[in-house]
Amino acid sequence: MKIIEPYLNFWARLTVKIRKPLVIGITGSVGKSTTTAMISSVLTHPPIEKMIGKVGYTQDNMNDDIGLPATLLRFHNWSEIPHNRSAKLLMLCKIPFRALSLILGNYPKVLVLEYGAGWSGHMRQLINIVSPDIAIVTMIGPAHLERFKTLEGIAREKSRLVQSASPSGLVILGEDHEFVSFLEAKANAPVIKVSGKGTELSRNITLAVCKHMGIPEEIVSPALENFINLKGRLDVIELTDTTVIDDSYNANPLSVKFGLDMLEKITKPGQRRVAILGTMAELGEESVRLHEEVGQYARERVDLLVGVGELAKWYQPNTWFDNSGECAESINNYLRKGDCVFIKGSASANMGQIVKKLKKNSE
């Protein structure tokens, strides 16, 4: 059923071409989902949405060549995209009617879209479906090196979104990485550079978007205060005896370092800093070196470093486990009451299992 992708693309392109929403596109090696969620949360704050009109946005990590057009056609999560043949055939029959109802009916005035590039040339495919008026690159770092080989390759791929931004629009760049000047040189639109790491960067980007859209700061601030972070993305959880920073959704070297910085920042006097780090996937030939580098960064900032998974041995942890299940079952052997614990690893490491165990123990 390979026909479903071009079919989705055709109707999605037609819909946005006719309805002409303002498109805000977000990419980057770290923080793109949090930035997408924060911008969406602020723009859908009732006083703001009343001012700018209906807002649609990427949900459930639907940021690839199926997820992006599906989002444009107002599918909200992956469960709405069928996997079996008969359901796909039914979907193909319904898509033209769905698109026509959106063209003739109620469609967002603003779309906040996450662009996830998984291989060389992928970003071009996504931009061909819909290009942004406002293009945002959070940061460039070592993610998907197995596919892109070099940081320069990642930067080139992400720069395509910058190049595609409307000259009458805007480019917003996180400034705390080495490829800012490279990205800025690719822009055909005015460029704003913003500072910060992690949620601070997302916040500053959101403020820049709102200012460009003419939204008064006095109604943006309360909307930002109401933002609830995504599950598994630097989500601070206060349990009975432990503070947990749940960043278990995924990991690359840059995002792990940001999380460790946050651990260092929020730890209260008397609390022990503990990092439980799973392996980082898709780093290719640089994998061992990058695990060693992150391990050194962690050891300089924590009181206890726990590694999970084969590659996590290169962190040189104080304690190591083969998998997250073993780590979760042994948690009482290495954690103490009052610890501040940072938990992170690639999706394949299943680090969320450790978060669940900690929550269960505190009940």
Side-chain angles (χ1 to χ4, degrees):
M1 295 297 291
K2 292 183 179 180
I3 191 175
I4 195 167
E5 183 182 323
Y7 203 65
L8 271 172
N9 289 352
F10 171 81
W11 289 104
R13 284 198 303 267
L14 180 64
T15 301
V16 294
K17 184 177 181 180
I18 294 173
R19 296 308 304 259
K20 295 181 171 58
L22 175 75
V23 176
I24 303 168
I26 302 104
T27 194
S29 302
V30 294
K32 59 181 178 290
S33 293
T34 297
T35 302
T36 301
M38 189 178 290
I39 295 171
S40 304
S41 175
V42 169
L43 296 186
T44 54
H45 189 58
I48 294 176
E49 193 164 33
K50 185 177 181 180
M51 177 190 300
I52 65 175
K54 185 177 176 65
V55 178
Y57 52 93
T58 299
Q59 300 178 60
D60 197 26
N61 206 36
M62 293 177 66
N63 61 12
D64 64 7
D65 36 350
I66 294 290
L68 180 65
T71 297
L72 298 179
L73 291 172
R74 311 298 290 135
F75 293 96
H76 300 299
N77 55 65
W78 282 112
S79 66
E80 296 183 73
I81 310 300
H83 297 288
N84 65 72
R85 184 178 178 83
S86 58
K88 284 181 178 180
L89 285 170
L90 183 61
M91 182 183 183
L92 290 175
C93 295
K94 289 182 176 180
I95 283 175
F97 299 99
R98 186 184 189 101
L100 288 172
S101 70
L102 293 170
I103 290 168
L104 299 173
N106 191 15
Y107 196 74
K109 298 288 186 182
V110 179
L111 289 171
V112 185
L113 303 175
E114 183 178 330
Y115 289 70
W119 60 84
S120 181
H122 194 190
M123 186 65 76
R124 193 190 302 277
Q125 291 182 27
L126 301 180
I127 292 165
N128 284 341
I129 300 169
V130 59
S131 59
D133 300 287
I134 301 173
I136 297 164
V137 182
T138 55
M139 302 192 83
I140 301 296
H144 304 302
L145 273 178
E146 192 172 56
R147 301 171 191 174
F148 290 105
K149 306 303 180 188
T150 65
L151 281 173
E152 289 76 12
I154 296 169
R156 281 195 300 273
E157 190 67 20
K158 302 292 186 183
S159 73
R160 297 185 192 281
L161 190 73
V162 170
Q163 288 176 290
S164 71
S166 167
S168 60
L170 184 68
V171 170
I172 303 173
L173 304 174
E175 67 177 7
D176 193 14
H177 62 99
E178 62 181 296
F179 293 98
V180 180
S181 298
F182 170 79
L183 293 172
E184 185 176 12
K186 297 290 186 181
N188 299 306
V191 176
I192 292 177
K193 291 176 280 189
V194 299
S195 61
K197 296 178 180 179
T199 53
E200 181 189 5
L201 176 60
S202 297
R203 181 184 179 88
N204 290 339
I205 289 171
T206 301
L207 288 169
V209 168
C210 291
K211 184 176 181 180
H212 178 75
M213 294 177 68
I215 303 169
E217 190 174 341
E218 57 267 25
I219 62 173
V220 174
S221 295
L224 276 168
E225 289 173 9
N226 290 335
F227 175 68
I228 299 173
N229 211 350
L230 296 171
K231 183 179 178 182
R233 276 110 158 176
L234 291 174
D235 185 14
V236 180
I237 307 166
E238 292 291 349
L239 301 178
T240 307
D241 299 316
T242 312
T243 301
V244 177
I245 305 172
D246 176 11
D247 204 20
S248 58
Y249 178 77
N250 214 337
N252 63 51
L254 197 57
S255 63
V256 176
K257 289 178 181 179
F258 287 169
L260 289 165
D261 291 343
M262 182 175 178
L263 172 66
E264 193 172 26
K265 184 177 180 179
I266 74 164
T267 304
K268 299 169 187 174
Q271 279 189 309
R272 213 174 46 141
R273 294 173 186 155
V274 179
I276 307 176
L277 303 182
T279 56
M280 301 177 293
E282 298 185 2
L283 296 177
E285 294 177 358
E286 294 289 295
S287 186
V288 169
R289 182 186 68 80
L290 290 169
H291 279 81
E292 288 178 331
E293 181 182 296
V294 167
Q296 181 178 345
Y297 194 87
R299 293 193 305 276
E300 292 171 354
R301 287 161 176 78
V302 304
D303 301 298
L304 177 68
L305 176 59
V306 180
V308 178
E310 188 64 29
L311 284 168
K313 289 178 180 178
W314 295 101
Y315 293 138
Q316 297 182 33
N318 304 104
T319 303
W320 177 84
F321 295 94
D322 183 58
N323 57 66
S324 59
E326 290 181 6
C327 183
E329 288 305 314
S330 302
I331 213 157
N332 292 330
N333 296 333
Y334 57 86
L335 287 190
R336 303 174 190 166
K337 289 183 178 180
D339 284 347
C340 189
V341 186
F342 172 57
I343 302 173
K344 190 166 183 64
S346 285
S348 56
N350 194 23
M351 301 299 284
Q353 191 170 352
I354 301 165
V355 178
K356 289 178 182 177
K357 180 66 174 178
L358 282 168
K359 288 180 177 179
K360 185 176 181 181
N361 287 354
S362 71
E363 291 174 354

